[in-house]
Amino acid sequence: MEQLPTAPTTAPETPAVSRALANIEAAKEGADEAVADFLDSLADLVREHGDPDAVFDSVQDQLSCEQLRVTAAAHGLRLYSSTEASVDDGTVTEVVAFWPNFAILPHGQRPADSLAQLRARIAERAEEQRLSQAFQAKVASGHVGDVGQWFAWMREREAAQ
C-alpha cells in the first residue's frame, strides 16, 4: 500500500481542501465521539498534505486492507500476494481462493478491489456448498440418479423463482 508523500506541516488551502474540510465537518454532525475523532484526524491529514484525494485514497486502502484481513480470517483464509510477474503474464489477475486454507491476491491490486473479489469468492463457495448439501439430501432420499440432470433441474428451478 502506498504511503502519503511527506508534506510541510500545513499545505496551502486550495478549493479542493476547503471542500473536503467542509464535507468532513458536515459528516461530524451527529456522529459519535470515536467517529468525530477519526474525522478530525482525517481533516488534519488533508490540511497537512493538501491533497484530499490522495489522503482519502490512502485511508480507504488502509480501511479496506484491515477489512480484507478480518474477512479472510473469519473464513479461515491466510492471505498471500502474488508476484508481479504472475500479474504481468496473466496468471493471477483476480483473487484466487484455495479453500479452506489461503487466498492469493494479485500483486499491486488495491485492497478495496481485492476485498470485493474475496467477498465474491466467499459467496460462490457458499452457493457451491448449498448446492452440494441439496444434492446430498436428494441422493440420501433416493431421488437422484443422474448428477448432470439434477444440476440442470436445480438451475431451472432457481431461474423460475
Side-chain angles (χ1 to χ4, degrees):
M1 179 178 347
E2 293 183 28
Q3 296 293 329
L4 286 171
T6 57
T9 309
T10 303
E13 191 162 313
T14 64
V17 169
S18 297
R19 280 191 304 277
L21 293 175
N23 287 338
I24 290 170
E25 282 303 313
K28 286 172 43 179
E29 291 181 28
D32 67 27
E33 186 177 341
V35 172
D37 288 346
F38 169 78
L39 291 171
D40 284 337
S41 297
L42 186 61
D44 291 343
L45 284 171
V46 168
R47 279 187 207 94
E48 180 180 335
H49 293 280
D51 185 353
D53 290 338
V55 170
F56 296 151
D57 285 348
S58 178
V59 169
Q60 180 185 9
D61 283 349
Q62 291 173 32
L63 293 172
S64 294
C65 197
E66 182 59 25
Q67 187 61 47
L68 185 60
R69 281 192 281 268
V70 168
T71 301
H75 293 276
L77 296 171
R78 289 171 295 170
L79 298 175
Y80 297 97
S81 182
S82 71
T83 63
E84 191 172 349
S86 67
V87 173
D88 291 343
D89 70 14
T91 305
V92 179
T93 58
E94 289 189 352
V95 170
V96 181
F98 294 91
W99 301 101
N101 298 316
F102 64 95
I104 299 175
L105 312 177
H107 174 81
Q109 180 168 275
R110 291 202 58 195
D113 295 335
S114 293
L115 178 59
Q117 291 172 6
L118 180 61
R119 286 177 173 158
R121 299 298 89 77
I122 291 167
E124 290 166 3
R125 181 169 190 242
E127 176 62 10
E128 289 170 1
Q129 289 176 327
R130 185 189 68 77
L131 285 173
S132 174
Q133 289 168 353
F135 177 74
Q136 290 171 7
K138 283 288 193 182
V139 168
S141 66
H143 295 300
V144 176
D146 180 5
V147 173
Q149 179 184 13
W150 181 83
F151 276 108
W153 173 78
M154 280 295 290
R155 288 192 177 91
E156 287 175 16
R157 191 177 112 185
E158 289 172 350
Q161 291 177 351

